Amino acid sequence: MVIQVETPGTAQVELPVVPPEAEQPSRFFFAVLSGVVFFAAYAPVTIGNKTIDALIYSVTYNGSYLAAEGIITIIVISIPSVKKALDYVKQMATSR
């Protein structure tokens, strides 16, 4: 989908719209990457007699909070008044 934006005195611009489902895998990937690269010093967590490496720690940490955020988002956008407001915004964005 592309949104066309036109302001007085300027040329018409087309802005690509990234669907929300396309953002999540890249968000997860870059969150894990930053966890491995920048926060590896905090990763050596010992559970019992085993030490967890930076990659496993980052995947577990980022996966857990992104999954919780996704569930909360699905619940919130399922509320009828929120759904109605989102539909209105979509209609206004695509009506131009």
Side-chain angles (χ1 to χ4, degrees):
M1 179 188 336
V2 175
I3 295 178
Q4 296 181 350
V5 179
E6 189 173 336
T7 56
T10 62
Q12 186 174 354
V13 178
E14 292 186 0
L15 300 173
V17 177
V18 178
E21 61 273 7
E23 293 178 1
Q24 286 303 99
S26 60
R27 181 176 176 195
F28 177 71
F29 173 76
F30 286 107
V32 169
L33 182 65
S34 68
V36 171
V37 173
F38 298 109
F39 300 104
Y42 303 107
V45 175
T46 303
I47 298 175
N49 59 356
K50 294 184 179 181
T51 301
I52 300 174
D53 68 333
L55 178 62
I56 301 299
Y57 180 81
S58 186
V59 166
T60 305
Y61 176 81
N62 290 300
S64 64
Y65 91 81
L66 285 174
E69 181 183 342
I71 291 168
I72 291 168
T73 301
I74 289 170
I75 291 169
V76 169
I77 64 173
S78 297
I79 298 171
S81 58
V82 174
K83 188 170 185 139
K84 184 178 177 181
L86 287 173
D87 290 340
Y88 177 75
V89 170
K90 285 181 193 175
Q91 180 186 9
M92 294 299 293
T94 57
S95 67
R96 295 181 175 215

